[in-house]
Short mmCIF file of all heavy atoms in Angstrom, two decimals:
data_model
loop_
_atom_site.label_atom_id
_atom_site.label_comp_id
_atom_site.label_asym_id
_atom_site.label_seq_id
_atom_site.Cartn_x
_atom_site.Cartn_y
_atom_site.Cartn_z
N LEU A 1 2.39 2.00 -9.58
CA LEU A 1 1.35 1.80 -8.57
C LEU A 1 0.81 0.37 -8.60
O LEU A 1 0.50 -0.21 -7.55
CB LEU A 1 0.21 2.79 -8.79
CG LEU A 1 0.45 4.23 -8.33
CD1 LEU A 1 -0.70 5.12 -8.75
CD2 LEU A 1 0.66 4.31 -6.83
N ILE A 2 0.71 -0.19 -9.80
CA ILE A 2 0.25 -1.58 -9.91
C ILE A 2 1.25 -2.53 -9.26
O ILE A 2 0.87 -3.53 -8.63
CB ILE A 2 0.00 -1.94 -11.38
CG1 ILE A 2 -1.23 -1.18 -11.90
CG2 ILE A 2 -0.19 -3.44 -11.56
CD1 ILE A 2 -1.44 -1.27 -13.40
N GLU A 3 2.54 -2.23 -9.34
CA GLU A 3 3.55 -3.04 -8.64
C GLU A 3 3.32 -2.98 -7.14
O GLU A 3 3.35 -4.02 -6.45
CB GLU A 3 4.96 -2.55 -8.99
CG GLU A 3 5.40 -2.85 -10.42
CD GLU A 3 6.86 -2.51 -10.65
OE1 GLU A 3 7.62 -2.44 -9.65
OE2 GLU A 3 7.26 -2.33 -11.81
N ILE A 4 3.11 -1.79 -6.61
CA ILE A 4 2.84 -1.64 -5.17
C ILE A 4 1.57 -2.40 -4.81
O ILE A 4 1.51 -3.11 -3.80
CB ILE A 4 2.72 -0.15 -4.79
CG1 ILE A 4 4.02 0.59 -5.07
CG2 ILE A 4 2.34 -0.01 -3.31
CD1 ILE A 4 3.91 2.10 -4.94
N ARG A 5 0.56 -2.25 -5.64
CA ARG A 5 -0.71 -2.92 -5.40
C ARG A 5 -0.53 -4.44 -5.35
O ARG A 5 -1.12 -5.12 -4.50
CB ARG A 5 -1.72 -2.56 -6.49
CG ARG A 5 -3.13 -3.02 -6.20
CD ARG A 5 -4.06 -2.90 -7.38
NE ARG A 5 -5.44 -3.10 -6.96
CZ ARG A 5 -5.96 -4.27 -6.61
NH1 ARG A 5 -5.21 -5.37 -6.65
NH2 ARG A 5 -7.22 -4.35 -6.22
N THR A 6 0.27 -4.97 -6.26
CA THR A 6 0.50 -6.41 -6.30
C THR A 6 1.14 -6.91 -5.02
O THR A 6 0.75 -7.95 -4.47
CB THR A 6 1.39 -6.78 -7.51
OG1 THR A 6 0.72 -6.40 -8.72
CG2 THR A 6 1.70 -8.26 -7.54
N VAL A 7 2.15 -6.18 -4.52
CA VAL A 7 2.82 -6.58 -3.27
C VAL A 7 1.81 -6.57 -2.12
O VAL A 7 1.76 -7.49 -1.30
CB VAL A 7 4.02 -5.68 -2.97
CG1 VAL A 7 4.64 -6.07 -1.62
CG2 VAL A 7 5.06 -5.78 -4.06
N ILE A 8 0.99 -5.52 -2.05
CA ILE A 8 -0.01 -5.43 -0.99
C ILE A 8 -0.99 -6.60 -1.09
O ILE A 8 -1.31 -7.27 -0.10
CB ILE A 8 -0.77 -4.09 -1.06
CG1 ILE A 8 0.17 -2.92 -0.80
CG2 ILE A 8 -1.92 -4.07 -0.06
CD1 ILE A 8 -0.45 -1.55 -1.05
N GLU A 9 -1.47 -6.85 -2.30
CA GLU A 9 -2.46 -7.91 -2.51
C GLU A 9 -1.90 -9.29 -2.18
O GLU A 9 -2.59 -10.15 -1.62
CB GLU A 9 -2.94 -7.88 -3.95
CG GLU A 9 -4.08 -8.85 -4.26
CD GLU A 9 -4.55 -8.73 -5.68
OE1 GLU A 9 -3.71 -8.52 -6.59
OE2 GLU A 9 -5.76 -8.83 -5.90
N LYS A 10 -0.61 -9.52 -2.51
CA LYS A 10 0.02 -10.83 -2.31
C LYS A 10 0.51 -11.03 -0.87
O LYS A 10 0.89 -12.14 -0.51
CB LYS A 10 1.19 -11.00 -3.26
CG LYS A 10 0.82 -11.01 -4.75
CD LYS A 10 0.06 -12.26 -5.12
CE LYS A 10 -0.22 -12.30 -6.62
NZ LYS A 10 -0.99 -13.51 -7.00
N ALA A 11 0.53 -9.98 -0.07
CA ALA A 11 0.97 -10.12 1.33
C ALA A 11 0.09 -11.15 2.03
O ALA A 11 -1.13 -11.05 2.01
CB ALA A 11 0.91 -8.78 2.03
N ASP A 12 0.74 -12.12 2.64
CA ASP A 12 0.01 -13.28 3.16
C ASP A 12 0.08 -13.33 4.69
O ASP A 12 0.87 -14.07 5.27
CB ASP A 12 0.58 -14.56 2.55
CG ASP A 12 -0.24 -15.79 2.90
OD1 ASP A 12 -1.37 -15.64 3.39
OD2 ASP A 12 0.26 -16.92 2.67
N GLY A 13 -0.71 -12.49 5.34
CA GLY A 13 -0.81 -12.54 6.80
C GLY A 13 0.39 -12.04 7.55
O GLY A 13 0.52 -12.28 8.75
N ILE A 14 1.31 -11.34 6.87
CA ILE A 14 2.52 -10.88 7.54
C ILE A 14 2.24 -9.61 8.33
O ILE A 14 1.42 -8.78 7.95
CB ILE A 14 3.67 -10.65 6.55
CG1 ILE A 14 3.25 -9.69 5.43
CG2 ILE A 14 4.13 -11.97 5.97
CD1 ILE A 14 4.38 -9.33 4.47
N ASP A 15 2.95 -9.46 9.44
CA ASP A 15 2.74 -8.33 10.34
C ASP A 15 3.74 -7.22 10.00
O ASP A 15 4.59 -6.83 10.80
CB ASP A 15 2.91 -8.78 11.79
CG ASP A 15 2.40 -7.74 12.77
OD1 ASP A 15 1.60 -6.87 12.35
OD2 ASP A 15 2.81 -7.80 13.93
N THR A 16 3.64 -6.71 8.77
CA THR A 16 4.56 -5.70 8.24
C THR A 16 3.82 -4.41 7.99
O THR A 16 2.67 -4.43 7.52
CB THR A 16 5.18 -6.21 6.91
OG1 THR A 16 5.92 -7.40 7.15
CG2 THR A 16 6.09 -5.17 6.29
N ARG A 17 4.47 -3.29 8.25
CA ARG A 17 3.85 -1.99 7.99
C ARG A 17 4.44 -1.38 6.73
O ARG A 17 5.66 -1.20 6.62
CB ARG A 17 4.04 -1.04 9.17
CG ARG A 17 3.38 0.31 8.93
CD ARG A 17 3.29 1.18 10.16
NE ARG A 17 2.55 2.40 9.88
CZ ARG A 17 1.22 2.49 9.83
NH1 ARG A 17 0.49 1.41 10.07
NH2 ARG A 17 0.61 3.63 9.55
N LEU A 18 3.59 -1.08 5.76
CA LEU A 18 4.03 -0.36 4.56
C LEU A 18 4.15 1.12 4.90
O LEU A 18 3.24 1.72 5.45
CB LEU A 18 3.04 -0.58 3.42
CG LEU A 18 3.44 -0.04 2.04
CD1 LEU A 18 2.81 -0.87 0.94
CD2 LEU A 18 3.05 1.44 1.86
N VAL A 19 5.32 1.69 4.56
CA VAL A 19 5.60 3.09 4.86
C VAL A 19 5.96 3.81 3.55
O VAL A 19 6.77 3.31 2.77
CB VAL A 19 6.76 3.23 5.87
CG1 VAL A 19 7.02 4.71 6.18
CG2 VAL A 19 6.47 2.46 7.14
N SER A 20 5.36 4.98 3.35
CA SER A 20 5.64 5.77 2.15
C SER A 20 6.15 7.13 2.60
O SER A 20 5.43 8.12 2.55
CB SER A 20 4.38 5.91 1.30
OG SER A 20 4.64 6.64 0.12
N ASP A 21 7.39 7.18 3.05
CA ASP A 21 7.92 8.38 3.70
C ASP A 21 8.92 9.14 2.83
O ASP A 21 9.92 9.64 3.31
CB ASP A 21 8.55 8.03 5.05
CG ASP A 21 9.66 7.00 4.95
OD1 ASP A 21 9.82 6.40 3.87
OD2 ASP A 21 10.35 6.77 5.96
N HIS A 22 8.62 9.23 1.53
CA HIS A 22 9.48 10.02 0.64
C HIS A 22 8.61 10.71 -0.40
O HIS A 22 7.68 10.11 -0.95
CB HIS A 22 10.51 9.13 -0.05
CG HIS A 22 11.70 9.89 -0.56
ND1 HIS A 22 11.62 10.78 -1.59
CD2 HIS A 22 13.00 9.88 -0.17
CE1 HIS A 22 12.81 11.31 -1.83
NE2 HIS A 22 13.67 10.78 -0.98
N MET A 23 8.93 11.95 -0.71
CA MET A 23 8.11 12.75 -1.61
C MET A 23 8.12 12.24 -3.05
O MET A 23 7.28 12.66 -3.86
CB MET A 23 8.54 14.21 -1.57
CG MET A 23 9.91 14.49 -2.14
SD MET A 23 10.31 16.24 -2.04
CE MET A 23 9.00 16.96 -3.02
N ILE A 24 9.04 11.35 -3.41
CA ILE A 24 9.04 10.84 -4.78
C ILE A 24 7.90 9.84 -5.01
O ILE A 24 7.61 9.49 -6.15
CB ILE A 24 10.39 10.20 -5.15
CG1 ILE A 24 10.72 9.02 -4.23
CG2 ILE A 24 11.50 11.21 -5.18
CD1 ILE A 24 11.94 8.25 -4.66
N ASN A 25 7.26 9.36 -3.94
CA ASN A 25 6.13 8.45 -4.09
C ASN A 25 4.88 9.23 -4.51
O ASN A 25 4.57 10.27 -3.93
CB ASN A 25 5.88 7.69 -2.80
CG ASN A 25 7.06 6.82 -2.41
OD1 ASN A 25 7.82 6.36 -3.25
ND2 ASN A 25 7.24 6.60 -1.12
N LEU A 26 4.17 8.71 -5.48
CA LEU A 26 3.02 9.43 -6.03
C LEU A 26 1.87 9.54 -5.02
O LEU A 26 1.31 10.61 -4.81
CB LEU A 26 2.54 8.75 -7.30
CG LEU A 26 1.46 9.50 -8.09
CD1 LEU A 26 2.04 10.76 -8.71
CD2 LEU A 26 0.86 8.61 -9.17
N LEU A 27 1.51 8.41 -4.42
CA LEU A 27 0.42 8.39 -3.44
C LEU A 27 1.02 8.13 -2.06
O LEU A 27 1.08 7.00 -1.59
CB LEU A 27 -0.61 7.30 -3.79
CG LEU A 27 -1.32 7.45 -5.13
CD1 LEU A 27 -2.33 6.32 -5.32
CD2 LEU A 27 -2.00 8.81 -5.28
N GLN A 28 1.46 9.19 -1.42
CA GLN A 28 2.19 9.06 -0.16
C GLN A 28 1.30 8.64 1.00
O GLN A 28 1.79 8.19 2.04
CB GLN A 28 2.93 10.36 0.16
CG GLN A 28 4.12 10.17 1.08
CD GLN A 28 5.05 11.37 1.10
OE1 GLN A 28 4.98 12.24 0.25
NE2 GLN A 28 5.92 11.42 2.10
N ASP A 29 -0.02 8.77 0.82
CA ASP A 29 -0.93 8.37 1.89
C ASP A 29 -1.20 6.86 1.91
O ASP A 29 -1.89 6.38 2.82
CB ASP A 29 -2.27 9.10 1.75
CG ASP A 29 -2.17 10.56 2.21
OD1 ASP A 29 -1.15 10.91 2.84
OD2 ASP A 29 -3.11 11.34 1.93
N VAL A 30 -0.70 6.14 0.92
CA VAL A 30 -0.88 4.68 0.91
C VAL A 30 0.10 4.09 1.90
O VAL A 30 1.25 3.79 1.61
CB VAL A 30 -0.66 4.09 -0.50
CG1 VAL A 30 -0.78 2.57 -0.47
CG2 VAL A 30 -1.69 4.66 -1.46
N GLU A 31 -0.36 3.95 3.13
CA GLU A 31 0.44 3.42 4.23
C GLU A 31 -0.45 2.57 5.12
O GLU A 31 -1.66 2.77 5.17
CB GLU A 31 1.06 4.54 5.07
CG GLU A 31 2.11 5.37 4.39
CD GLU A 31 2.83 6.29 5.38
OE1 GLU A 31 2.14 6.96 6.17
OE2 GLU A 31 4.06 6.31 5.37
N GLY A 32 0.17 1.65 5.84
CA GLY A 32 -0.60 0.87 6.81
C GLY A 32 -0.10 -0.54 6.96
O GLY A 32 0.91 -0.93 6.36
N SER A 33 -0.80 -1.31 7.76
CA SER A 33 -0.45 -2.70 8.02
C SER A 33 -0.82 -3.57 6.84
O SER A 33 -1.95 -3.50 6.33
CB SER A 33 -1.17 -3.18 9.28
OG SER A 33 -1.13 -4.58 9.38
N LEU A 34 0.12 -4.41 6.39
CA LEU A 34 -0.17 -5.34 5.31
C LEU A 34 -1.11 -6.46 5.77
O LEU A 34 -1.61 -7.21 4.93
CB LEU A 34 1.12 -5.94 4.75
CG LEU A 34 2.02 -4.96 3.98
CD1 LEU A 34 3.30 -5.65 3.52
CD2 LEU A 34 1.29 -4.36 2.78
N LYS A 35 -1.35 -6.52 7.06
CA LYS A 35 -2.30 -7.51 7.58
C LYS A 35 -3.68 -6.90 7.79
O LYS A 35 -4.70 -7.50 7.43
CB LYS A 35 -1.79 -8.08 8.91
CG LYS A 35 -2.76 -9.08 9.56
CD LYS A 35 -2.27 -9.55 10.92
CE LYS A 35 -1.08 -10.49 10.80
NZ LYS A 35 -0.69 -11.07 12.12
N HIS A 36 -3.72 -5.70 8.33
CA HIS A 36 -5.00 -5.13 8.76
C HIS A 36 -5.55 -4.04 7.83
O HIS A 36 -6.75 -3.75 7.89
CB HIS A 36 -4.89 -4.57 10.17
CG HIS A 36 -4.42 -5.56 11.18
ND1 HIS A 36 -5.17 -6.66 11.56
CD2 HIS A 36 -3.25 -5.63 11.90
CE1 HIS A 36 -4.50 -7.36 12.46
NE2 HIS A 36 -3.34 -6.77 12.68
N ASP A 37 -4.69 -3.43 7.02
CA ASP A 37 -5.12 -2.27 6.22
C ASP A 37 -5.08 -2.53 4.72
O ASP A 37 -5.03 -1.58 3.93
CB ASP A 37 -4.25 -1.05 6.56
CG ASP A 37 -4.32 -0.67 8.03
OD1 ASP A 37 -5.44 -0.68 8.57
OD2 ASP A 37 -3.26 -0.36 8.61
N LYS A 38 -5.07 -3.78 4.32
CA LYS A 38 -4.94 -4.10 2.90
C LYS A 38 -6.06 -3.48 2.08
O LYS A 38 -5.81 -2.85 1.05
CB LYS A 38 -4.92 -5.62 2.69
CG LYS A 38 -3.65 -6.29 3.13
CD LYS A 38 -3.70 -7.80 2.91
CE LYS A 38 -3.71 -8.16 1.45
NZ LYS A 38 -3.49 -9.60 1.24
N ASP A 39 -7.30 -3.67 2.51
CA ASP A 39 -8.43 -3.17 1.73
C ASP A 39 -8.39 -1.65 1.58
O ASP A 39 -8.69 -1.11 0.51
CB ASP A 39 -9.75 -3.60 2.38
CG ASP A 39 -10.00 -5.10 2.26
OD1 ASP A 39 -9.34 -5.74 1.41
OD2 ASP A 39 -10.84 -5.63 3.01
N LYS A 40 -8.02 -0.97 2.64
CA LYS A 40 -7.95 0.49 2.59
C LYS A 40 -6.90 0.94 1.58
O LYS A 40 -7.17 1.81 0.73
CB LYS A 40 -7.60 1.04 3.97
CG LYS A 40 -7.49 2.57 4.03
CD LYS A 40 -6.82 3.05 5.30
CE LYS A 40 -5.31 2.83 5.24
NZ LYS A 40 -4.59 3.45 6.39
N MET A 41 -5.71 0.33 1.62
CA MET A 41 -4.64 0.73 0.72
C MET A 41 -4.95 0.37 -0.72
O MET A 41 -4.72 1.16 -1.65
CB MET A 41 -3.32 0.12 1.18
CG MET A 41 -2.81 0.67 2.50
SD MET A 41 -1.14 0.10 2.95
CE MET A 41 -1.47 -1.62 3.39
N LEU A 42 -5.49 -0.83 -0.93
CA LEU A 42 -5.87 -1.23 -2.29
C LEU A 42 -6.94 -0.31 -2.84
O LEU A 42 -6.92 0.06 -4.04
CB LEU A 42 -6.35 -2.68 -2.30
CG LEU A 42 -5.30 -3.75 -1.99
CD1 LEU A 42 -5.95 -5.12 -1.90
CD2 LEU A 42 -4.22 -3.76 -3.07
N GLY A 43 -7.87 0.10 -2.00
CA GLY A 43 -8.93 1.00 -2.42
C GLY A 43 -8.40 2.35 -2.85
O GLY A 43 -8.88 2.94 -3.83
N MET A 44 -7.41 2.87 -2.12
CA MET A 44 -6.82 4.17 -2.48
C MET A 44 -6.14 4.10 -3.84
O MET A 44 -6.27 5.02 -4.66
CB MET A 44 -5.83 4.59 -1.40
CG MET A 44 -6.46 4.88 -0.06
SD MET A 44 -5.23 5.19 1.25
CE MET A 44 -4.56 6.74 0.73
N ILE A 45 -5.42 3.00 -4.08
CA ILE A 45 -4.74 2.84 -5.37
C ILE A 45 -5.77 2.68 -6.49
O ILE A 45 -5.66 3.31 -7.55
CB ILE A 45 -3.78 1.65 -5.32
CG1 ILE A 45 -2.63 1.93 -4.34
CG2 ILE A 45 -3.22 1.35 -6.72
CD1 ILE A 45 -1.70 0.75 -4.12
N ASP A 46 -6.77 1.84 -6.26
CA ASP A 46 -7.78 1.60 -7.29
C ASP A 46 -8.57 2.87 -7.61
O ASP A 46 -8.92 3.11 -8.78
CB ASP A 46 -8.74 0.49 -6.84
CG ASP A 46 -8.08 -0.87 -6.82
OD1 ASP A 46 -7.01 -1.02 -7.46
OD2 ASP A 46 -8.62 -1.79 -6.17
N ASP A 47 -8.83 3.67 -6.58
CA ASP A 47 -9.55 4.93 -6.81
C ASP A 47 -8.75 5.84 -7.73
O ASP A 47 -9.30 6.47 -8.65
CB ASP A 47 -9.81 5.62 -5.47
CG ASP A 47 -10.44 6.99 -5.65
OD1 ASP A 47 -11.63 7.04 -6.00
OD2 ASP A 47 -9.74 8.00 -5.47
N TYR A 48 -7.45 5.90 -7.50
CA TYR A 48 -6.61 6.75 -8.35
C TYR A 48 -6.54 6.19 -9.77
O TYR A 48 -6.68 6.93 -10.76
CB TYR A 48 -5.20 6.87 -7.77
CG TYR A 48 -4.27 7.62 -8.70
CD1 TYR A 48 -4.26 9.01 -8.70
CD2 TYR A 48 -3.44 6.94 -9.58
CE1 TYR A 48 -3.43 9.71 -9.57
CE2 TYR A 48 -2.62 7.62 -10.45
CZ TYR A 48 -2.61 9.01 -10.45
OH TYR A 48 -1.81 9.69 -11.32
#
C-alpha cells in the first residue's frame, strides 16, 4: 500500500486515472484521477 501511496503522491499533474479492478487488491476502492483525487485516495490509504 505504501508503494501505491508513493506513486499517487509523486504523480505530477498527469491526467491519469488509477483503476483497482481486481480482487487481489487489498483496498479496491482506492481509485480516481491522479490529478483531481489525490487527497481522497491518500486519505483512504492513510486511514487504513
Side-chain angles (χ1 to χ4, degrees):
L1 283 174
I2 290 170
E3 289 188 21
I4 298 170
R5 190 192 192 287
T6 298
V7 177
I8 296 172
E9 186 178 38
K10 297 290 184 182
D12 187 13
I14 55 175
D15 193 20
T16 298
R17 181 168 184 80
L18 187 151
V19 181
S20 181
D21 57 350
H22 201 292
M23 67 180 300
I24 60 173
N25 298 332
L26 188 69
L27 299 182
Q28 203 165 345
D29 284 348
V30 177
E31 292 191 312
S33 165
L34 291 178
K35 178 184 288 187
H36 304 293
D37 300 318
K38 288 179 68 169
D39 290 343
K40 180 194 76 172
M41 292 187 287
L42 293 174
M44 293 173 69
I45 293 174
D46 290 343
D47 175 73
Y48 174 83

